[in-house]
Amino acid sequence: MTAQTEAELGLETETMTVREAIRQALREELERDEDVYVMGEDVGLFGGVLEVTSGLLEEFGEERIRDTPISEAGFMGAATGAAATGTRPVVELMFSDFAGVSMEQIMNQMAKMRYMFGGKADMPVTVRTTEGGGMGAASQHSGTVHSWIAHFPGLKAVVPGTPASAKGLTKAAIRSNDPVFVFENKMIYEQSGEVPTDEEFTVPLGEAAVEREGEDVTVVATQRLVGESLGAAETLEGEVSVEVIDPRSLYPLDVDTIVESVEKTGRLVVADESPLSYGTHAEIVARVQEDAFFSLDAPIQRVGTPDTHIPFSPHLEEEVLPGDDDVRAAIQRIA
Amino acid sequence: MADFDLDSADGRREALRRMVTIRAFDEEAGERFADGEIPGFVHLYIGEEAVGVGTCASLEPDDYIASTHRGHGHCIAKGLDPKYMMAELYGKAEGYCNGKGGSMHIADVDEGMLGANGIVGAGPPLATGAALTIDYRDRDQVAVGFLGDGAVAQGQIHEAINLAATWDLPAIFVVENNRYGEGTPVEKQHNVDNLSDTAQAYDIPGVTVDGMDVTAVAEAVAEARERARAGDGPTLVEAQTYRYRGHYEGDEEPYRDESEIERWKDRDAIESFRDRLIERGELTDDEFADLRSAVESTIDDAVEYAKAADPPEPSAAYEDMFADRPPELDRFAATARPDGGANGGDRR
């Protein structure tokens, strides 16, 4: 099935930011299903350090918007046990780097219980977490770790790049009976776009969006790099015709939409903020070469963080973080 | 209370039967493992039967428990069927986990058993989560997190108990202090005399009971359950017990000597409870012999069942991953199968 962008679906929309879109998704799902509740550090009184959950405590009360102690292993484990026994926690993990603090419960419990129990436990837990550099937050608050989760069997991982997909993916994650991580790049919280207002609007896990059509080069871009890639494509207009695809979901991955595009363009750039070695880029490249090797007319290019941590100094941060110029250079190398 | 109640003679006989069943199951599992019939690792509960049975005697059937490496006893105490447990140990399709969990992961969420666990200290956070569901839905249940003395040193235990205490969740944490964390004595792992002392840090009750006395354990857990149900939050129960076997089967146990084991065997939980029932006139030697032979045939039947059961189909290795199966599983599972798959070449 060829994926479409939300605008193409002809739903009524409203302009809002990624932050507002996620908050609206949470609000709608909290209203729709009483088994859904939000928990995490500072999600209630504080409204979330990045203000995504702001106002929800007043609307839904302490039972449903739960401030936890600063104990990632404890609340990630509690969410796992709660999901296995039938409620639907939505956990906010303040910064994705903190997954390290709770990895035991993520890897060995949340991801494995269903399989180890012979399918006898559903695991309807959603973990929302922030990723990415750009705020001068240094390396323990700027990581991009979605490759860990997408790599690990038993977990699903989504990476919204637009306000509409942020809303649709969050809602799909909450409705899923599988553990789904929603990786929110914190530099796009302020980005605005058209978002469907229909309460039944979701973005199914594993469905890519063609954000821009083109003929010469396919750019598969995630999160912040969706906007950066659209910008790069714009500046190359008339020189190179660039197609931009946002996979939106990394596991499961919509290989068909990507392959279809590569079969048309013969050229591929993969742009994702995570470190380049052994990660997201490698997986997308491998799938494309398995399915469309003979369609390729040039070596596939990767744009990402060059295997460094994210430094503090703005000068250094700018040096390592991939942006529209990196995407443009990658396109030009093969166009 | 419960489907067996230590306040009645029938309940007491049932508790004895469950303890005898645990021991017989684990003795058999140890032998079958030594014979090479059971793959993987096996950690036996022999010696600690009073803790699991005493705890479950004070629980309702729909209460939850989250277990440890040493989970067979908890399963039987909770009422799981030795037949499907043994089939799981043998890696058969009819095992509780369809052969995907084995000894360290036997689970049946519908029966309130949230799994034995291969990770030391990982069960109590899950129990806190089950208690969160109970609290959230305002149900009349509790969740018990079992942990060993070794796990008391783990960070996630502290986080789980602190969270349950902070939110007044209906949880009970039962520390099975069997004197050794794997091969290291409890004194070398902790600086406190009683592991229940750690409860002070959470401002919850901490009690230490004789873990060789099924009644003492049951009383402590009953009180904890009452407290949990009243909305007063968790209790930490330390049951002092002893592991007769090594940490795992095949453990050469260089860390202790036989005389210590013999001293604990003098206080054996099953023998002392049996003697008490005989003294009270609730059981005769003949009735106990009957009980024991009935249990033995149950375990023999379980082994026969497990041996005769079918192994899982190879394709089952790719099942049970997700509620909503992603296309990757078909893509990669197909490649792994001898008949090959669709990928590995250009689609044109």
Side-chain angles (χ1 to χ4, degrees):
Chain A
M1 174 185 164
T2 306
Q4 295 175 303
T5 59
E6 289 67 34
E8 290 172 87
L9 297 171
L11 295 170
E12 271 187 44
T13 64
E14 239 175 60
T15 308
M16 65 181 78
T17 64
V18 166
R19 179 185 285 114
E20 289 163 346
I22 297 167
R23 190 184 301 139
Q24 192 177 78
L26 293 172
R27 184 184 290 119
E28 286 177 7
E29 294 307 299
L30 282 159
E31 278 168 358
R32 190 185 60 82
D33 185 349
E34 283 200 353
D35 278 342
V36 174
Y37 51 94
V38 173
M39 58 193 270
E41 291 153 355
D42 294 320
V43 295
L45 278 176
F46 196 120
V49 289
L50 293 165
E51 295 169 26
V52 175
T53 55
S54 173
L56 295 180
L57 176 67
E58 289 74 9
E59 274 179 75
F60 294 97
E62 285 184 355
E63 274 293 295
R64 306 195 64 200
I65 310 295
R66 308 177 77 105
D67 280 324
T68 64
I70 301 173
S71 52
E72 287 81 1
F75 68 70
M76 203 63 86
T80 301
T85 50
T87 50
R88 310 183 76 86
V90 180
V91 182
E92 180 173 302
L93 181 66
M94 196 181 281
F95 292 93
S96 64
D97 311 78
F98 304 168
V101 187
S102 53
M103 213 53 176
E104 152 54 24
Q105 286 293 329
I106 296 171
M107 283 173 45
N108 283 319
Q109 312 303 324
M110 189 190 292
K112 292 180 182 171
M113 276 172 75
R114 182 187 182 85
Y115 186 76
M116 286 196 314
F117 294 3
K120 286 185 193 149
D122 275 344
M123 192 56 70
V125 55
T126 300
V127 180
R128 293 180 37 247
T129 189
T130 64
E131 289 196 307
M135 287 177 74
S139 63
Q140 291 170 345
H141 291 70
S142 304
T144 299
V145 308
H146 51 245
S147 306
W148 304 359
I149 300 299
H151 173 70
F152 204 82
L155 304 171
K156 293 181 174 178
V158 300
V159 281
T162 65
S165 59
K167 179 179 174 184
L169 289 168
T170 303
K171 286 168 70 79
I174 294 171
R175 294 183 187 195
S176 169
N177 280 334
D178 293 316
V180 183
F181 280 66
V182 183
F183 290 100
E184 302 166 5
N185 183 289
K186 48 178 133 16
M187 298 312 288
I188 64 169
Y189 276 135
E190 290 295 318
Q191 192 175 299
S192 288
E194 293 300 305
V195 176
T197 50
D198 186 334
E199 286 174 11
E200 284 308 304
F201 161 71
T202 62
V203 171
L205 307 180
E207 206 174 287
V210 179
E211 290 289 341
R212 184 187 206 272
E213 291 192 0
E215 300 299 323
D216 302 332
V217 176
T218 299
V219 177
V220 172
T222 64
Q223 298 176 317
R224 180 177 59 82
L225 291 172
V226 175
E228 300 280 311
S229 298
L230 290 169
E234 199 71 26
T235 59
L236 291 169
E237 182 82 61
E239 185 187 335
V240 188
S241 169
V242 179
E243 180 145 302
V244 178
I245 292 174
D246 177 358
R248 302 195 288 196
S249 167
L250 295 176
Y251 197 93
L253 180 69
D254 180 357
V255 184
D256 290 350
T257 297
I258 297 169
V259 162
E260 206 171 290
S261 176
V262 171
E263 283 173 343
K264 177 172 68 173
T265 63
R267 291 174 165 80
L268 176 64
V269 173
V270 182
D272 178 87
E273 192 174 315
S274 61
L276 286 161
S277 290
Y278 295 97
T280 310
H281 309 80
E283 184 58 36
I284 293 170
V285 170
R287 303 264 191 113
V288 167
Q289 75 80 27
E290 280 175 352
D291 284 2
F293 180 76
F294 293 106
S295 298
L296 289 166
D297 296 324
I300 300 171
Q301 301 295 306
R302 291 187 278 181
V303 175
T305 299
D307 290 3
T308 60
H309 300 300
I310 306 302
F312 165 66
S313 164
H315 308 286
L316 297 178
E317 193 177 39
E318 198 185 332
E319 165 65 25
V320 303
L321 283 181
D324 59 351
D325 49 340
D326 298 294
V327 177
R328 196 166 51 240
I331 293 168
Q332 285 173 325
R333 283 199 295 273
I334 53 171
Chain B
M1 286 297 262
D3 44 356
F4 65 110
D5 180 352
L6 291 185
D7 287 339
S8 76
D10 281 351
R12 285 187 284 273
R13 275 194 300 273
E14 177 60 16
L16 183 65
R17 193 189 64 79
R18 289 193 191 200
M19 287 200 284
V20 171
T21 305
I22 292 169
R23 184 158 304 179
F25 183 95
D26 267 3
E27 281 172 347
E28 188 71 27
E31 278 176 35
R32 301 296 169 164
F33 177 79
D35 288 348
E37 288 179 23
I38 293 173
F41 307 145
V42 170
H43 306 77
L44 302 182
Y45 197 62
I46 295 171
E48 305 181 35
E49 296 88 350
V51 187
V53 172
T55 299
C56 292
S58 292
L59 299 181
E60 295 291 345
D62 63 350
D63 287 339
Y64 291 105
I65 63 170
S67 174
T68 66
H69 272 52
R70 221 169 288 291
H72 305 166
H74 300 146
C75 290
I76 291 169
K78 191 76 174 76
L80 267 59
D81 189 332
K83 197 165 77 165
Y84 304 120
M85 289 173 59
M86 197 63 89
E88 187 59 35
L89 263 56
Y90 273 78
K92 297 298 182 70
E94 285 152 82
Y96 269 109
C97 307
N98 305 352
K100 294 209 188 72
S103 165
M104 271 191 291
H105 306 291
I106 300 177
D108 189 348
V109 177
D110 290 342
E111 295 295 319
M113 172 57 183
L114 294 171
N117 211 304
I119 303 295
V120 171
L126 302 173
T128 293
L132 173 56
T133 286
I134 294 164
D135 183 59
Y136 190 76
R137 288 195 168 155
D138 203 18
R139 289 181 175 162
D140 186 24
Q141 291 166 284
V142 298
V144 173
F146 285 104
L147 60 153
D149 47 285
V152 174
Q154 275 229 337
Q156 58 180 333
I157 292 298
H158 163 73
E159 296 193 16
I161 302 175
N162 184 57
L163 183 59
T166 307
W167 286 358
D168 291 325
L169 296 179
I172 302 167
F173 300 97
V174 177
V175 180
E176 299 182 314
N177 181 354
N178 67 16
R179 312 304 303 173
Y180 292 91
E182 303 197 8
T184 302
V186 63
E187 295 81 9
K188 291 196 171 188
Q189 301 210 34
H190 303 285
N191 217 18
V192 289
D193 289 335
N194 285 330
L195 298 179
S196 63
D197 290 350
T198 57
Q200 288 173 28
Y202 318 108
D203 193 23
I204 62 171
V207 290
T208 293
V209 297
D210 181 0
M212 305 304 272
D213 179 349
V214 66
T215 311
V217 175
E219 280 170 5
V221 172
E223 202 170 310
R225 192 182 191 283
E226 206 165 302
R227 189 182 132 77
R229 286 312 314 145
D232 294 333
T235 300
L236 184 64
V237 177
E238 176 195 11
Q240 295 189 332
T241 181
Y242 198 73
R243 189 183 81 205
Y244 293 1
R245 307 285 301 185
H247 170 55
Y248 52 85
E249 286 307 281
D251 175 359
E252 288 179 6
E253 304 178 54
Y255 47 84
R256 65 177 177 182
D257 58 50
E258 193 64 29
S259 65
E260 181 181 284
I261 304 173
E262 290 309 316
R263 277 202 308 279
W264 280 87
K265 282 184 176 171
D266 288 343
R267 303 183 46 228
D268 185 78
I270 294 175
E271 285 174 16
S272 61
F273 191 54
R274 175 203 60 196
D275 292 349
R276 246 193 294 165
L277 297 192
I278 289 173
E279 272 169 38
R280 293 171 69 136
E282 292 176 2
L283 188 76
T284 63
D285 284 328
D286 284 349
E287 283 168 339
F288 182 70
D290 289 347
L291 182 152
R292 168 158 270 171
S293 69
V295 164
E296 275 162 12
S297 65
T298 300
I299 301 304
D300 288 346
D301 290 349
V303 170
E304 287 314 306
Y305 177 83
K307 282 182 168 177
D310 292 326
E313 291 293 325
S315 60
Y318 313 108
E319 290 163 5
D320 303 325
M321 282 297 298
F322 292 102
D324 184 13
R325 185 181 171 96
E328 278 81 356
L329 276 169
D330 295 307
R331 181 185 180 100
F332 297 126
T335 326
R337 307 287 307 129
D339 50 351
N343 70 333
D346 190 87
R347 328 204 295 172
R348 295 178 309 177

